[in-house]
Amino acid sequence: MNNPFEDALLQLTRAVALRPVREDVLLRLRSPEREVSVAIPVVMDSGSTQIFEGYRVQHNHARGPYKGGIRFHPDTNKDEVRALALWMTIKTAVANIPMGGGKGGITVDPKKLSPRELEALSRGWVQALYPVLGPRLDVPAPDVNTNPAIMAIMTDEYTKLTGDTTGATFTGKPLDRGGSEGRTLATSLGGWFVFDVLRDAFGVPAEPTVAIQGMGNVGGNAARIFAQHGARIVAMSDSHGGIVNMDGLDVDAVESYKQEHGTLDGFPNAQRLGNEDLLELPVDVLIPAALEDQITGENVGRIHARMILELANGPTTPEADDALFARGIPVVPDILANAGGVVVSTFEWEQNLKGEHWSEADVNARLQEIMSRETRAVLARAGELGTDLRRGAFVIALERLESAMMQEMPRR
Ligand code: NAD
């Protein structure tokens, strides 16, 4: 298992080798500005008290308030949250939105908690961290195993503790609690807009075959959106494994089956396959939409996709990146491909601060404009530098971050 923060630092170093930045800028980007670990006590349904470890890493604020999701997962740890926070700093710069980078989490398996315990834990995270959160300071959002309902609970707790009623401290809220139209779909729809700009450049057929790892908010919505645009979704999976039918799956039927049975076991007219096997299918587009460290030096030789669209954060290690580039398999990096979520989160924050509510058509049109423009910029920069899209995107982010930081640091 690669250490994701080491991978993120390596990606940074590799981009700086192509486009040097001032040494003090690089030092700042290598070091998160603030890291907070908290012990969250929860009175369990049994009556006993359990302590959970929670985190918030505020990586960089040069371009705006810290911004990034909160993850509830048994494997979440500080290094993972650090990596995710660094990627948020780069991602908000790639998307050119007025936000910095942060991330949070709790080491917990939420599937083992009752609804009351989960609510107490969510409120506990806010009670422990509210002094370092706020609309002008740090604005969290949902990530793995957190959702609009949890954002509503966290917003409620934040309002009780601070009296702030703007709702602008958390994004990804339900619509009737100040959420934005389009936020639930935004990461996946943004990924579609990115793909739509790049498909011709990479010779992807008009009706591509697609395999998707993970069917949560991001993977499930991506399956629907790609299918609506004529793609054939041949494989989908959850944490227990996947199903495949090279003739195509009915995405809505798969989703309803999973909701009804809680598993993909027994889904008709499809074969069961493991998550590792899903990655190795001969498809036009492979979409990792689960967790980091999936395409590695170990399995990269067995990847047969024509193109990889990273809707998960950090699914490809630097070693695998190099092997894929050498084989001519383009990887559309997370810091571009899944930036749609933070873009619409930023729209939500802006609407909350202004007391506005934008229509879904307006939100999606603004999202498309940003994603398409920045995708063309990344493609052009990677081409000029003769490098991959990840380095191209990092270089653009580094230029924007250096420019922002130089406003506040002494000139040499
Ligand atoms: P989610 O909790 O809604 O869904 C996660 C999905 O991944 C579930 O279907 C789960 O069963 C599956 N999964 C977990 N472990 C797996 C494994 N080992 N193999 C295969 N599947 C596995 O989370 P999400 O919000 O959809 O996030 C998925 C990814 O997208 C994460 O990397 C997250 O950081 C990234 N992301 C999310 C957003 C967002 O707006 N939610 C934005 C940008 C990036």
Side-chain angles (χ1 to χ4, degrees), residues 257-268:
Y257 188 91
K258 159 100 187 176
Q259 268 199 336
E260 193 181 331
H261 297 87
T263 171
L264 296 172
D265 279 340
F267 183 79

Side-chain angles (χ1 to χ4, degrees), residues 130-144:
Y130 78 92
V132 298
L133 306 177
R136 310 275 177 199
L137 177 55
D138 186 344
V139 185
D143 192 73
V144 173

